[in-house]
Amino acid sequence: MARRGLCVLLLTGLLGPAALAQSGPESVPAEEEAVRRTIEALFDGMRAGDSTAVRGLFHDGARLHTAVGPSDTAAVRRTPVDAFVEAVGQPHEQAWDERTWAVEVRVDGPLASAWVPYAFYLGDERSHCGVNAVQLVRQADGWRILQLTDTRRQDCVVPSHVRPSR
């Protein structure tokens, strides 16, 4: 009987990691997907110029920063969330269209982090590109952005499926 228990324990130890390794990207956990939806909602709100929708995605204590400068050193520029939200709601001749790809999300309980490569378009013209590093916290009504720090540069390789069609 003890031998059978030992065999079950060994099989579980050997097969357990293999079973976990088989869960590929097609089985994204629900919390990771919820984080992605929050980030996508930010960019949807920006495209629509909907400052109310955008404001609702940020935690009350949220911070926005941009790392500017050469790749080996950077200055950090802070943008107040309220100023960003107000700018989103101002009329624009061209849509603010932030397109993303290869988003990586990590979740640990109420904390999430996302690495979000992006290209920012004014209408159909690319303005700049970079990466958003986003930290989110889960609240009773969903995920909220606590901090977003981005880089901005001109020399990104943007996948063809992300570029606007002409």
Side-chain angles (χ1 to χ4, degrees), residues 87-121:
V88 166
Q90 295 298 314
H92 302 102
E93 288 183 30
Q94 299 167 317
W96 289 7
D97 188 5
E98 191 150 340
R99 299 174 187 207
T100 66
W101 65 93
V103 175
E104 297 176 30
V105 175
R106 300 283 188 267
V107 177
D108 185 26
L111 175 67
S113 181
W115 187 259
V116 186
Y118 76 92
F120 185 85
Y121 292 83

PDB file of all heavy atoms in Angstrom, residues 87-121:
ATOM      1  N   ALA A  87      -6.571  66.116 -21.765  1.00  0.00           N
ATOM      2  CA  ALA A  87      -6.067  66.149 -23.138  1.00  0.00           C
ATOM      3  C   ALA A  87      -6.788  65.132 -24.022  1.00  0.00           C
ATOM      4  O   ALA A  87      -7.099  65.421 -25.184  1.00  0.00           O
ATOM      5  CB  ALA A  87      -4.559  65.897 -23.153  1.00  0.00           C
ATOM      6  N   VAL A  88      -7.068  63.959 -23.480  1.00  0.00           N
ATOM      7  CA  VAL A  88      -7.802  62.940 -24.242  1.00  0.00           C
ATOM      8  C   VAL A  88      -9.158  63.480 -24.662  1.00  0.00           C
ATOM      9  O   VAL A  88      -9.614  63.255 -25.787  1.00  0.00           O
ATOM     10  CB  VAL A  88      -7.974  61.643 -23.408  1.00  0.00           C
ATOM     11  CG1 VAL A  88      -9.012  60.719 -24.036  1.00  0.00           C
ATOM     12  CG2 VAL A  88      -6.650  60.923 -23.249  1.00  0.00           C
ATOM     13  N   GLY A  89      -9.820  64.213 -23.775  1.00  0.00           N
ATOM     14  CA  GLY A  89     -11.163  64.717 -24.045  1.00  0.00           C
ATOM     15  C   GLY A  89     -11.226  65.946 -24.940  1.00  0.00           C
ATOM     16  O   GLY A  89     -12.310  66.321 -25.387  1.00  0.00           O
ATOM     17  N   GLN A  90     -10.099  66.577 -25.211  1.00  0.00           N
ATOM     18  CA  GLN A  90     -10.085  67.746 -26.095  1.00  0.00           C
ATOM     19  C   GLN A  90     -10.321  67.303 -27.539  1.00  0.00           C
ATOM     20  O   GLN A  90      -9.874  66.236 -27.936  1.00  0.00           O
ATOM     21  CB  GLN A  90      -8.738  68.476 -26.005  1.00  0.00           C
ATOM     22  CG  GLN A  90      -8.445  69.078 -24.652  1.00  0.00           C
ATOM     23  CD  GLN A  90      -9.463  70.141 -24.259  1.00  0.00           C
ATOM     24  OE1 GLN A  90      -9.817  71.002 -25.048  1.00  0.00           O
ATOM     25  NE2 GLN A  90      -9.937  70.055 -23.029  1.00  0.00           N
ATOM     26  N   PRO A  91     -11.017  68.128 -28.328  1.00  0.00           N
ATOM     27  CA  PRO A  91     -11.219  67.762 -29.735  1.00  0.00           C
ATOM     28  C   PRO A  91      -9.880  67.625 -30.474  1.00  0.00           C
ATOM     29  O   PRO A  91      -8.963  68.420 -30.252  1.00  0.00           O
ATOM     30  CB  PRO A  91     -12.014  68.945 -30.297  1.00  0.00           C
ATOM     31  CG  PRO A  91     -12.638  69.596 -29.105  1.00  0.00           C
ATOM     32  CD  PRO A  91     -11.676  69.375 -27.962  1.00  0.00           C
ATOM     33  N   HIS A  92      -9.778  66.586 -31.295  1.00  0.00           N
ATOM     34  CA  HIS A  92      -8.571  66.335 -32.097  1.00  0.00           C
ATOM     35  C   HIS A  92      -8.956  66.253 -33.562  1.00  0.00           C
ATOM     36  O   HIS A  92      -9.981  65.672 -33.899  1.00  0.00           O
ATOM     37  CB  HIS A  92      -7.922  64.993 -31.704  1.00  0.00           C
ATOM     38  CG  HIS A  92      -7.549  64.878 -30.277  1.00  0.00           C
ATOM     39  ND1 HIS A  92      -8.307  64.179 -29.375  1.00  0.00           N
ATOM     40  CD2 HIS A  92      -6.508  65.375 -29.587  1.00  0.00           C
ATOM     41  CE1 HIS A  92      -7.740  64.243 -28.180  1.00  0.00           C
ATOM     42  NE2 HIS A  92      -6.645  64.966 -28.280  1.00  0.00           N
ATOM     43  N   GLU A  93      -8.109  66.790 -34.417  1.00  0.00           N
ATOM     44  CA  GLU A  93      -8.338  66.643 -35.863  1.00  0.00           C
ATOM     45  C   GLU A  93      -8.142  65.187 -36.277  1.00  0.00           C
ATOM     46  O   GLU A  93      -8.799  64.700 -37.185  1.00  0.00           O
ATOM     47  CB  GLU A  93      -7.387  67.537 -36.648  1.00  0.00           C
ATOM     48  CG  GLU A  93      -7.731  69.008 -36.559  1.00  0.00           C
ATOM     49  CD  GLU A  93      -6.817  69.859 -37.419  1.00  0.00           C
ATOM     50  OE1 GLU A  93      -6.324  69.365 -38.460  1.00  0.00           O
ATOM     51  OE2 GLU A  93      -6.610  71.019 -37.040  1.00  0.00           O
ATOM     52  N   GLN A  94      -7.201  64.511 -35.612  1.00  0.00           N
ATOM     53  CA  GLN A  94      -6.911  63.124 -35.938  1.00  0.00           C
ATOM     54  C   GLN A  94      -7.004  62.287 -34.655  1.00  0.00           C
ATOM     55  O   GLN A  94      -6.655  62.753 -33.576  1.00  0.00           O
ATOM     56  CB  GLN A  94      -5.507  63.005 -36.522  1.00  0.00           C
ATOM     57  CG  GLN A  94      -5.340  63.807 -37.797  1.00  0.00           C
ATOM     58  CD  GLN A  94      -3.888  63.923 -38.186  1.00  0.00           C
ATOM     59  OE1 GLN A  94      -3.030  64.164 -37.353  1.00  0.00           O
ATOM     60  NE2 GLN A  94      -3.616  63.751 -39.463  1.00  0.00           N
ATOM     61  N   ALA A  95      -7.457  61.059 -34.812  1.00  0.00           N
ATOM     62  CA  ALA A  95      -7.593  60.167 -33.663  1.00  0.00           C
ATOM     63  C   ALA A  95      -6.233  59.842 -33.057  1.00  0.00           C
ATOM     64  O   ALA A  95      -5.239  59.718 -33.768  1.00  0.00           O
ATOM     65  CB  ALA A  95      -8.287  58.872 -34.092  1.00  0.00           C
ATOM     66  N   TRP A  96      -6.202  59.722 -31.726  1.00  0.00           N
ATOM     67  CA  TRP A  96      -5.020  59.229 -31.028  1.00  0.00           C
ATOM     68  C   TRP A  96      -5.144  57.716 -31.032  1.00  0.00           C
ATOM     69  O   TRP A  96      -5.944  57.149 -30.299  1.00  0.00           O
ATOM     70  CB  TRP A  96      -4.991  59.733 -29.601  1.00  0.00           C
ATOM     71  CG  TRP A  96      -4.714  61.196 -29.451  1.00  0.00           C
ATOM     72  CD1 TRP A  96      -4.627  62.133 -30.439  1.00  0.00           C
ATOM     73  CD2 TRP A  96      -4.471  61.874 -28.228  1.00  0.00           C
ATOM     74  NE1 TRP A  96      -4.354  63.360 -29.893  1.00  0.00           N
ATOM     75  CE2 TRP A  96      -4.250  63.226 -28.538  1.00  0.00           C
ATOM     76  CE3 TRP A  96      -4.432  61.482 -26.899  1.00  0.00           C
ATOM     77  CZ2 TRP A  96      -3.997  64.195 -27.573  1.00  0.00           C
ATOM     78  CZ3 TRP A  96      -4.184  62.430 -25.925  1.00  0.00           C
ATOM     79  CH2 TRP A  96      -3.958  63.774 -26.268  1.00  0.00           C
ATOM     80  N   ASP A  97      -4.365  57.071 -31.850  1.00  0.00           N
ATOM     81  CA  ASP A  97      -4.506  55.634 -32.082  1.00  0.00           C
ATOM     82  C   ASP A  97      -3.245  54.904 -31.625  1.00  0.00           C
ATOM     83  O   ASP A  97      -2.254  54.852 -32.345  1.00  0.00           O
ATOM     84  CB  ASP A  97      -4.765  55.399 -33.570  1.00  0.00           C
ATOM     85  CG  ASP A  97      -5.127  53.962 -33.891  1.00  0.00           C
ATOM     86  OD1 ASP A  97      -5.271  53.146 -32.950  1.00  0.00           O
ATOM     87  OD2 ASP A  97      -5.260  53.651 -35.085  1.00  0.00           O
ATOM     88  N   GLU A  98      -3.300  54.358 -30.424  1.00  0.00           N
ATOM     89  CA  GLU A  98      -2.164  53.611 -29.882  1.00  0.00           C
ATOM     90  C   GLU A  98      -2.399  52.134 -30.144  1.00  0.00           C
ATOM     91  O   GLU A  98      -3.361  51.553 -29.664  1.00  0.00           O
ATOM     92  CB  GLU A  98      -2.004  53.881 -28.384  1.00  0.00           C
ATOM     93  CG  GLU A  98      -0.710  53.362 -27.842  1.00  0.00           C
ATOM     94  CD  GLU A  98      -0.196  54.174 -26.663  1.00  0.00           C
ATOM     95  OE1 GLU A  98      -0.604  55.321 -26.467  1.00  0.00           O
ATOM     96  OE2 GLU A  98       0.646  53.613 -25.938  1.00  0.00           O
ATOM     97  N   ARG A  99      -1.506  51.542 -30.924  1.00  0.00           N
ATOM     98  CA  ARG A  99      -1.630  50.134 -31.318  1.00  0.00           C
ATOM     99  C   ARG A  99      -0.550  49.313 -30.632  1.00  0.00           C
ATOM    100  O   ARG A  99       0.596  49.739 -30.562  1.00  0.00           O
ATOM    101  CB  ARG A  99      -1.513  50.017 -32.824  1.00  0.00           C
ATOM    102  CG  ARG A  99      -2.612  50.799 -33.519  1.00  0.00           C
ATOM    103  CD  ARG A  99      -2.434  50.803 -34.986  1.00  0.00           C
ATOM    104  NE  ARG A  99      -3.425  51.694 -35.576  1.00  0.00           N
ATOM    105  CZ  ARG A  99      -3.887  51.555 -36.799  1.00  0.00           C
ATOM    106  NH1 ARG A  99      -3.451  50.568 -37.549  1.00  0.00           N
ATOM    107  NH2 ARG A  99      -4.769  52.395 -37.265  1.00  0.00           N
ATOM    108  N   THR A 100      -0.923  48.141 -30.167  1.00  0.00           N
ATOM    109  CA  THR A 100      -0.015  47.310 -29.384  1.00  0.00           C
ATOM    110  C   THR A 100       0.143  45.930 -29.998  1.00  0.00           C
ATOM    111  O   THR A 100      -0.656  45.509 -30.836  1.00  0.00           O
ATOM    112  CB  THR A 100      -0.537  47.166 -27.940  1.00  0.00           C
ATOM    113  OG1 THR A 100      -1.766  46.428 -27.964  1.00  0.00           O
ATOM    114  CG2 THR A 100      -0.756  48.521 -27.291  1.00  0.00           C
ATOM    115  N   TRP A 101       1.172  45.221 -29.537  1.00  0.00           N
ATOM    116  CA  TRP A 101       1.416  43.845 -29.957  1.00  0.00           C
ATOM    117  C   TRP A 101       2.288  43.170 -28.897  1.00  0.00           C
ATOM    118  O   TRP A 101       2.917  43.836 -28.087  1.00  0.00           O
ATOM    119  CB  TRP A 101       2.076  43.787 -31.331  1.00  0.00           C
ATOM    120  CG  TRP A 101       3.451  44.375 -31.384  1.00  0.00           C
ATOM    121  CD1 TRP A 101       4.640  43.711 -31.231  1.00  0.00           C
ATOM    122  CD2 TRP A 101       3.800  45.757 -31.573  1.00  0.00           C
ATOM    123  NE1 TRP A 101       5.691  44.581 -31.317  1.00  0.00           N
ATOM    124  CE2 TRP A 101       5.208  45.839 -31.527  1.00  0.00           C
ATOM    125  CE3 TRP A 101       3.064  46.921 -31.758  1.00  0.00           C
ATOM    126  CZ2 TRP A 101       5.893  47.051 -31.673  1.00  0.00           C
ATOM    127  CZ3 TRP A 101       3.752  48.115 -31.909  1.00  0.00           C
ATOM    128  CH2 TRP A 101       5.143  48.174 -31.870  1.00  0.00           C
ATOM    129  N   ALA A 102       2.311  41.872 -28.895  1.00  0.00           N
ATOM    130  CA  ALA A 102       3.182  41.070 -28.020  1.00  0.00           C
ATOM    131  C   ALA A 102       3.121  41.516 -26.559  1.00  0.00           C
ATOM    132  O   ALA A 102       4.139  41.605 -25.878  1.00  0.00           O
ATOM    133  CB  ALA A 102       4.625  41.093 -28.533  1.00  0.00           C
ATOM    134  N   VAL A 103       1.928  41.791 -26.072  1.00  0.00           N
ATOM    135  CA  VAL A 103       1.745  42.232 -24.689  1.00  0.00           C
ATOM    136  C   VAL A 103       2.030  41.078 -23.731  1.00  0.00           C
ATOM    137  O   VAL A 103       1.541  39.963 -23.926  1.00  0.00           O
ATOM    138  CB  VAL A 103       0.308  42.765 -24.482  1.00  0.00           C
ATOM    139  CG1 VAL A 103       0.054  43.122 -23.024  1.00  0.00           C
ATOM    140  CG2 VAL A 103       0.040  43.946 -25.401  1.00  0.00           C
ATOM    141  N   GLU A 104       2.850  41.345 -22.716  1.00  0.00           N
ATOM    142  CA  GLU A 104       3.173  40.345 -21.691  1.00  0.00           C
ATOM    143  C   GLU A 104       2.537  40.788 -20.384  1.00  0.00           C
ATOM    144  O   GLU A 104       2.739  41.917 -19.941  1.00  0.00           O
ATOM    145  CB  GLU A 104       4.684  40.248 -21.509  1.00  0.00           C
ATOM    146  CG  GLU A 104       5.416  39.781 -22.738  1.00  0.00           C
ATOM    147  CD  GLU A 104       6.924  39.784 -22.533  1.00  0.00           C
ATOM    148  OE1 GLU A 104       7.379  39.594 -21.384  1.00  0.00           O
ATOM    149  OE2 GLU A 104       7.637  40.007 -23.519  1.00  0.00           O
ATOM    150  N   VAL A 105       1.787  39.895 -19.753  1.00  0.00           N
ATOM    151  CA  VAL A 105       1.092  40.210 -18.506  1.00  0.00           C
ATOM    152  C   VAL A 105       1.490  39.204 -17.434  1.00  0.00           C
ATOM    153  O   VAL A 105       1.567  38.000 -17.701  1.00  0.00           O
ATOM    154  CB  VAL A 105      -0.450  40.167 -18.698  1.00  0.00           C
ATOM    155  CG1 VAL A 105      -1.176  40.373 -17.377  1.00  0.00           C
ATOM    156  CG2 VAL A 105      -0.884  41.206 -19.721  1.00  0.00           C
ATOM    157  N   ARG A 106       1.730  39.704 -16.243  1.00  0.00           N
ATOM    158  CA  ARG A 106       1.989  38.865 -15.072  1.00  0.00           C
ATOM    159  C   ARG A 106       1.028  39.296 -13.969  1.00  0.00           C
ATOM    160  O   ARG A 106       0.826  40.499 -13.767  1.00  0.00           O
ATOM    161  CB  ARG A 106       3.421  39.039 -14.570  1.00  0.00           C
ATOM    162  CG  ARG A 106       4.492  38.696 -15.569  1.00  0.00           C
ATOM    163  CD  ARG A 106       4.659  37.183 -15.681  1.00  0.00           C
ATOM    164  NE  ARG A 106       5.797  36.834 -16.487  1.00  0.00           N
ATOM    165  CZ  ARG A 106       5.740  36.586 -17.785  1.00  0.00           C
ATOM    166  NH1 ARG A 106       4.605  36.684 -18.419  1.00  0.00           N
ATOM    167  NH2 ARG A 106       6.821  36.255 -18.450  1.00  0.00           N
ATOM    168  N   VAL A 107       0.453  38.330 -13.272  1.00  0.00           N
ATOM    169  CA  VAL A 107      -0.499  38.621 -12.200  1.00  0.00           C
ATOM    170  C   VAL A 107      -0.097  37.856 -10.953  1.00  0.00           C
ATOM    171  O   VAL A 107       0.243  36.673 -11.019  1.00  0.00           O
ATOM    172  CB  VAL A 107      -1.938  38.218 -12.612  1.00  0.00           C
ATOM    173  CG1 VAL A 107      -2.919  38.458 -11.475  1.00  0.00           C
ATOM    174  CG2 VAL A 107      -2.372  38.968 -13.864  1.00  0.00           C
ATOM    175  N   ASP A 108      -0.142  38.527  -9.820  1.00  0.00           N
ATOM    176  CA  ASP A 108       0.043  37.893  -8.517  1.00  0.00           C
ATOM    177  C   ASP A 108      -0.997  38.479  -7.576  1.00  0.00           C
ATOM    178  O   ASP A 108      -0.835  39.591  -7.063  1.00  0.00           O
ATOM    179  CB  ASP A 108       1.457  38.133  -7.981  1.00  0.00           C
ATOM    180  CG  ASP A 108       1.701  37.374  -6.677  1.00  0.00           C
ATOM    181  OD1 ASP A 108       1.033  36.335  -6.457  1.00  0.00           O
ATOM    182  OD2 ASP A 108       2.541  37.816  -5.881  1.00  0.00           O
ATOM    183  N   GLY A 109      -2.102  37.769  -7.415  1.00  0.00           N
ATOM    184  CA  GLY A 109      -3.172  38.250  -6.548  1.00  0.00           C
ATOM    185  C   GLY A 109      -3.726  39.573  -7.052  1.00  0.00           C
ATOM    186  O   GLY A 109      -4.154  39.681  -8.199  1.00  0.00           O
ATOM    187  N   PRO A 110      -3.650  40.620  -6.217  1.00  0.00           N
ATOM    188  CA  PRO A 110      -4.238  41.905  -6.606  1.00  0.00           C
ATOM    189  C   PRO A 110      -3.301  42.803  -7.414  1.00  0.00           C
ATOM    190  O   PRO A 110      -3.647  43.944  -7.714  1.00  0.00           O
ATOM    191  CB  PRO A 110      -4.548  42.550  -5.251  1.00  0.00           C
ATOM    192  CG  PRO A 110      -3.437  42.051  -4.378  1.00  0.00           C
ATOM    193  CD  PRO A 110      -3.210  40.616  -4.816  1.00  0.00           C
ATOM    194  N   LEU A 111      -2.120  42.304  -7.769  1.00  0.00           N
ATOM    195  CA  LEU A 111      -1.130  43.106  -8.480  1.00  0.00           C
ATOM    196  C   LEU A 111      -0.875  42.516  -9.861  1.00  0.00           C
ATOM    197  O   LEU A 111      -0.752  41.297 -10.012  1.00  0.00           O
ATOM    198  CB  LEU A 111       0.182  43.124  -7.692  1.00  0.00           C
ATOM    199  CG  LEU A 111       1.375  43.824  -8.352  1.00  0.00           C
ATOM    200  CD1 LEU A 111       1.116  45.316  -8.452  1.00  0.00           C
ATOM    201  CD2 LEU A 111       2.644  43.548  -7.566  1.00  0.00           C
ATOM    202  N   ALA A 112      -0.798  43.388 -10.861  1.00  0.00           N
ATOM    203  CA  ALA A 112      -0.469  42.933 -12.210  1.00  0.00           C
ATOM    204  C   ALA A 112       0.534  43.890 -12.823  1.00  0.00           C
ATOM    205  O   ALA A 112       0.574  45.078 -12.493  1.00  0.00           O
ATOM    206  CB  ALA A 112      -1.722  42.865 -13.076  1.00  0.00           C
ATOM    207  N   SER A 113       1.330  43.355 -13.719  1.00  0.00           N
ATOM    208  CA  SER A 113       2.305  44.142 -14.458  1.00  0.00           C
ATOM    209  C   SER A 113       2.203  43.740 -15.924  1.00  0.00           C
ATOM    210  O   SER A 113       2.054  42.562 -16.239  1.00  0.00           O
ATOM    211  CB  SER A 113       3.705  43.848 -13.916  1.00  0.00           C
ATOM    212  OG  SER A 113       4.662  44.618 -14.593  1.00  0.00           O
ATOM    213  N   ALA A 114       2.284  44.740 -16.805  1.00  0.00           N
ATOM    214  CA  ALA A 114       2.208  44.457 -18.239  1.00  0.00           C
ATOM    215  C   ALA A 114       3.316  45.208 -18.966  1.00  0.00           C
ATOM    216  O   ALA A 114       3.617  46.356 -18.641  1.00  0.00           O
ATOM    217  CB  ALA A 114       0.849  44.858 -18.792  1.00  0.00           C
ATOM    218  N   TRP A 115       3.912  44.543 -19.929  1.00  0.00           N
ATOM    219  CA  TRP A 115       4.927  45.122 -20.809  1.00  0.00           C
ATOM    220  C   TRP A 115       4.251  45.230 -22.165  1.00  0.00           C
ATOM    221  O   TRP A 115       3.856  44.217 -22.751  1.00  0.00           O
ATOM    222  CB  TRP A 115       6.132  44.190 -20.853  1.00  0.00           C
ATOM    223  CG  TRP A 115       7.311  44.711 -21.582  1.00  0.00           C
ATOM    224  CD1 TRP A 115       7.698  44.382 -22.855  1.00  0.00           C
ATOM    225  CD2 TRP A 115       8.284  45.630 -21.090  1.00  0.00           C
ATOM    226  NE1 TRP A 115       8.854  45.049 -23.173  1.00  0.00           N
ATOM    227  CE2 TRP A 115       9.241  45.822 -22.108  1.00  0.00           C
ATOM    228  CE3 TRP A 115       8.436  46.311 -19.883  1.00  0.00           C
ATOM    229  CZ2 TRP A 115      10.326  46.659 -21.964  1.00  0.00           C
ATOM    230  CZ3 TRP A 115       9.537  47.148 -19.732  1.00  0.00           C
ATOM    231  CH2 TRP A 115      10.461  47.312 -20.763  1.00  0.00           C
ATOM    232  N   VAL A 116       4.074  46.450 -22.653  1.00  0.00           N
ATOM    233  CA  VAL A 116       3.202  46.693 -23.796  1.00  0.00           C
ATOM    234  C   VAL A 116       3.934  47.466 -24.902  1.00  0.00           C
ATOM    235  O   VAL A 116       3.960  48.702 -24.888  1.00  0.00           O
ATOM    236  CB  VAL A 116       1.944  47.484 -23.343  1.00  0.00           C
ATOM    237  CG1 VAL A 116       0.956  47.630 -24.489  1.00  0.00           C
ATOM    238  CG2 VAL A 116       1.289  46.843 -22.125  1.00  0.00           C
ATOM    239  N   PRO A 117       4.538  46.782 -25.875  1.00  0.00           N
ATOM    240  CA  PRO A 117       5.117  47.487 -27.017  1.00  0.00           C
ATOM    241  C   PRO A 117       3.996  48.197 -27.781  1.00  0.00           C
ATOM    242  O   PRO A 117       2.896  47.654 -27.922  1.00  0.00           O
ATOM    243  CB  PRO A 117       5.724  46.372 -27.872  1.00  0.00           C
ATOM    244  CG  PRO A 117       5.829  45.192 -26.964  1.00  0.00           C
ATOM    245  CD  PRO A 117       4.728  45.337 -25.961  1.00  0.00           C
ATOM    246  N   TYR A 118       4.273  49.404 -28.278  1.00  0.00           N
ATOM    247  CA  TYR A 118       3.224  50.165 -28.945  1.00  0.00           C
ATOM    248  C   TYR A 118       3.783  51.033 -30.065  1.00  0.00           C
ATOM    249  O   TYR A 118       4.968  51.347 -30.101  1.00  0.00           O
ATOM    250  CB  TYR A 118       2.473  51.055 -27.946  1.00  0.00           C
ATOM    251  CG  TYR A 118       3.241  52.291 -27.549  1.00  0.00           C
ATOM    252  CD1 TYR A 118       3.087  53.493 -28.244  1.00  0.00           C
ATOM    253  CD2 TYR A 118       4.147  52.267 -26.487  1.00  0.00           C
ATOM    254  CE1 TYR A 118       3.806  54.628 -27.900  1.00  0.00           C
ATOM    255  CE2 TYR A 118       4.864  53.392 -26.132  1.00  0.00           C
ATOM    256  CZ  TYR A 118       4.693  54.576 -26.842  1.00  0.00           C
ATOM    257  OH  TYR A 118       5.410  55.692 -26.505  1.00  0.00           O
ATOM    258  N   ALA A 119       2.880  51.427 -30.946  1.00  0.00           N
ATOM    259  CA  ALA A 119       3.136  52.468 -31.937  1.00  0.00           C
ATOM    260  C   ALA A 119       1.966  53.433 -31.830  1.00  0.00           C
ATOM    261  O   ALA A 119       0.805  53.014 -31.805  1.00  0.00           O
ATOM    262  CB  ALA A 119       3.231  51.890 -33.343  1.00  0.00           C
ATOM    263  N   PHE A 120       2.271  54.723 -31.743  1.00  0.00           N
ATOM    264  CA  PHE A 120       1.245  55.753 -31.576  1.00  0.00           C
ATOM    265  C   PHE A 120       1.061  56.475 -32.905  1.00  0.00           C
ATOM    266  O   PHE A 120       2.022  56.986 -33.481  1.00  0.00           O
ATOM    267  CB  PHE A 120       1.664  56.740 -30.489  1.00  0.00           C
ATOM    268  CG  PHE A 120       0.620  57.764 -30.178  1.00  0.00           C
ATOM    269  CD1 PHE A 120      -0.388  57.493 -29.268  1.00  0.00           C
ATOM    270  CD2 PHE A 120       0.643  59.011 -30.790  1.00  0.00           C
ATOM    271  CE1 PHE A 120      -1.360  58.435 -28.976  1.00  0.00           C
ATOM    272  CE2 PHE A 120      -0.320  59.965 -30.504  1.00  0.00           C
ATOM    273  CZ  PHE A 120      -1.320  59.681 -29.601  1.00  0.00           C
ATOM    274  N   TYR A 121      -0.181  56.483 -33.376  1.00  0.00           N
ATOM    275  CA  TYR A 121      -0.515  57.119 -34.646  1.00  0.00           C
ATOM    276  C   TYR A 121      -1.437  58.313 -34.405  1.00  0.00           C
ATOM    277  O   TYR A 121      -2.340  58.257 -33.565  1.00  0.00           O
ATOM    278  CB  TYR A 121      -1.234  56.125 -35.570  1.00  0.00           C
ATOM    279  CG  TYR A 121      -0.346  55.019 -36.049  1.00  0.00           C
ATOM    280  CD1 TYR A 121      -0.120  53.890 -35.262  1.00  0.00           C
ATOM    281  CD2 TYR A 121       0.288  55.097 -37.282  1.00  0.00           C
ATOM    282  CE1 TYR A 121       0.714  52.873 -35.700  1.00  0.00           C
ATOM    283  CE2 TYR A 121       1.115  54.083 -37.734  1.00  0.00           C
ATOM    284  CZ  TYR A 121       1.325  52.972 -36.930  1.00  0.00           C
ATOM    285  OH  TYR A 121       2.149  51.974 -37.365  1.00  0.00           O
TER     286      TYR A 121
END
